[in-house]
PDB file of all heavy atoms in Angstrom:
ATOM      1  N   GLN A 516      -0.152  11.230 -13.410  1.00 55.00           N
ATOM      2  CA  GLN A 516       0.849  12.237 -13.162  1.00 55.00           C
ATOM      3  C   GLN A 516       0.495  13.124 -11.997  1.00 55.00           C
ATOM      4  O   GLN A 516      -0.694  13.297 -11.677  1.00 55.00           O
ATOM      5  CB  GLN A 516       1.042  13.096 -14.415  1.00 55.00           C
ATOM      6  CG  GLN A 516       1.579  12.411 -15.632  1.00 55.00           C
ATOM      7  CD  GLN A 516       1.654  13.318 -16.815  1.00 55.00           C
ATOM      8  OE1 GLN A 516       0.654  13.848 -17.247  1.00 55.00           O
ATOM      9  NE2 GLN A 516       2.825  13.500 -17.361  1.00 55.00           N
ATOM     10  N   SER A 517       1.505  13.648 -11.348  1.00 46.00           N
ATOM     11  CA  SER A 517       1.260  14.600 -10.269  1.00 46.00           C
ATOM     12  C   SER A 517       0.839  15.951 -10.870  1.00 46.00           C
ATOM     13  O   SER A 517       1.019  16.183 -12.054  1.00 46.00           O
ATOM     14  CB  SER A 517       2.553  14.813  -9.489  1.00 46.00           C
ATOM     15  OG  SER A 517       3.517  15.443 -10.264  1.00 46.00           O
ATOM     16  N   ASP A 518       0.318  16.824 -10.055  1.00 40.00           N
ATOM     17  CA  ASP A 518      -0.055  18.155 -10.506  1.00 40.00           C
ATOM     18  C   ASP A 518       1.110  18.894 -11.159  1.00 40.00           C
ATOM     19  O   ASP A 518       0.965  19.530 -12.173  1.00 40.00           O
ATOM     20  CB  ASP A 518      -0.632  18.987  -9.373  1.00 40.00           C
ATOM     21  CG  ASP A 518      -1.984  18.502  -8.892  1.00 40.00           C
ATOM     22  OD1 ASP A 518      -2.659  17.800  -9.674  1.00 40.00           O
ATOM     23  OD2 ASP A 518      -2.366  18.785  -7.778  1.00 40.00           O
ATOM     24  N   ALA A 519       2.303  18.762 -10.524  1.00 38.00           N
ATOM     25  CA  ALA A 519       3.480  19.448 -11.081  1.00 38.00           C
ATOM     26  C   ALA A 519       3.838  18.928 -12.453  1.00 38.00           C
ATOM     27  O   ALA A 519       4.173  19.705 -13.348  1.00 38.00           O
ATOM     28  CB  ALA A 519       4.643  19.248 -10.117  1.00 38.00           C
ATOM     29  N   GLU A 520       3.717  17.634 -12.654  1.00 36.00           N
ATOM     30  CA  GLU A 520       4.054  17.044 -13.947  1.00 36.00           C
ATOM     31  C   GLU A 520       3.034  17.502 -15.009  1.00 36.00           C
ATOM     32  O   GLU A 520       3.407  17.738 -16.131  1.00 36.00           O
ATOM     33  CB  GLU A 520       4.109  15.512 -13.850  1.00 36.00           C
ATOM     34  CG  GLU A 520       5.267  14.979 -13.060  1.00 36.00           C
ATOM     35  CD  GLU A 520       5.154  13.505 -12.784  1.00 36.00           C
ATOM     36  OE1 GLU A 520       4.036  13.001 -12.498  1.00 36.00           O
ATOM     37  OE2 GLU A 520       6.155  12.834 -12.908  1.00 36.00           O
ATOM     38  N   ILE A 521       1.772  17.518 -14.609  1.00 32.00           N
ATOM     39  CA  ILE A 521       0.719  17.926 -15.539  1.00 32.00           C
ATOM     40  C   ILE A 521       0.915  19.388 -15.987  1.00 32.00           C
ATOM     41  O   ILE A 521       0.891  19.683 -17.175  1.00 32.00           O
ATOM     42  CB  ILE A 521      -0.676  17.796 -14.906  1.00 32.00           C
ATOM     43  CG1 ILE A 521      -1.008  16.329 -14.681  1.00 32.00           C
ATOM     44  CG2 ILE A 521      -1.752  18.430 -15.775  1.00 32.00           C
ATOM     45  CD1 ILE A 521      -2.261  16.065 -13.893  1.00 32.00           C
ATOM     46  N   LYS A 522       1.258  20.275 -15.022  1.00 35.00           N
ATOM     47  CA  LYS A 522       1.477  21.663 -15.363  1.00 35.00           C
ATOM     48  C   LYS A 522       2.700  21.808 -16.237  1.00 35.00           C
ATOM     49  O   LYS A 522       2.765  22.623 -17.172  1.00 35.00           O
ATOM     50  CB  LYS A 522       1.610  22.455 -14.081  1.00 35.00           C
ATOM     51  CG  LYS A 522       0.335  22.560 -13.282  1.00 35.00           C
ATOM     52  CD  LYS A 522       0.549  23.308 -11.956  1.00 35.00           C
ATOM     53  CE  LYS A 522      -0.765  23.375 -11.180  1.00 35.00           C
ATOM     54  NZ  LYS A 522      -0.554  24.040  -9.838  1.00 35.00           N
ATOM     55  N   TRP A 523       3.756  21.008 -15.977  1.00 33.00           N
ATOM     56  CA  TRP A 523       5.006  21.065 -16.748  1.00 33.00           C
ATOM     57  C   TRP A 523       4.671  20.646 -18.210  1.00 33.00           C
ATOM     58  O   TRP A 523       5.151  21.296 -19.157  1.00 33.00           O
ATOM     59  CB  TRP A 523       5.994  20.171 -16.134  1.00 33.00           C
ATOM     60  CG  TRP A 523       7.315  20.112 -16.901  1.00 33.00           C
ATOM     61  CD1 TRP A 523       7.675  19.199 -17.843  1.00 33.00           C
ATOM     62  CD2 TRP A 523       8.401  21.064 -16.813  1.00 33.00           C
ATOM     63  NE1 TRP A 523       8.934  19.475 -18.312  1.00 33.00           N
ATOM     64  CE2 TRP A 523       9.384  20.602 -17.713  1.00 33.00           C
ATOM     65  CE3 TRP A 523       8.610  22.191 -16.055  1.00 33.00           C
ATOM     66  CZ2 TRP A 523      10.592  21.294 -17.899  1.00 33.00           C
ATOM     67  CZ3 TRP A 523       9.822  22.873 -16.248  1.00 33.00           C
ATOM     68  CH2 TRP A 523      10.778  22.462 -17.149  1.00 33.00           C
ATOM     69  N   ASN A 524       3.919  19.583 -18.373  1.00 35.00           N
ATOM     70  CA  ASN A 524       3.603  19.068 -19.716  1.00 35.00           C
ATOM     71  C   ASN A 524       2.758  20.093 -20.477  1.00 35.00           C
ATOM     72  O   ASN A 524       2.954  20.294 -21.704  1.00 35.00           O
ATOM     73  CB  ASN A 524       2.889  17.740 -19.641  1.00 35.00           C
ATOM     74  CG  ASN A 524       3.832  16.635 -19.189  1.00 35.00           C
ATOM     75  OD1 ASN A 524       5.018  16.718 -19.339  1.00 35.00           O
ATOM     76  ND2 ASN A 524       3.253  15.573 -18.606  1.00 35.00           N
ATOM     77  N   VAL A 525       1.821  20.724 -19.797  1.00 35.00           N
ATOM     78  CA  VAL A 525       0.943  21.709 -20.450  1.00 35.00           C
ATOM     79  C   VAL A 525       1.749  22.893 -20.879  1.00 35.00           C
ATOM     80  O   VAL A 525       1.594  23.472 -21.947  1.00 35.00           O
ATOM     81  CB  VAL A 525      -0.206  22.092 -19.497  1.00 35.00           C
ATOM     82  CG1 VAL A 525      -0.965  23.303 -20.104  1.00 35.00           C
ATOM     83  CG2 VAL A 525      -1.154  20.932 -19.308  1.00 35.00           C
ATOM     84  N   GLY A 526       2.678  23.323 -19.964  1.00 36.00           N
ATOM     85  CA  GLY A 526       3.480  24.477 -20.276  1.00 36.00           C
ATOM     86  C   GLY A 526       4.482  24.234 -21.339  1.00 36.00           C
ATOM     87  O   GLY A 526       4.953  25.153 -21.984  1.00 36.00           O
TER      88      GLY A 526
END
Side-chain angles (χ1 to χ4, degrees):
Q516 292 178 303
S517 67
D518 290 337
E520 290 171 319
I521 291 172
K522 292 177 181 176
W523 179 265
N524 290 336
V525 170

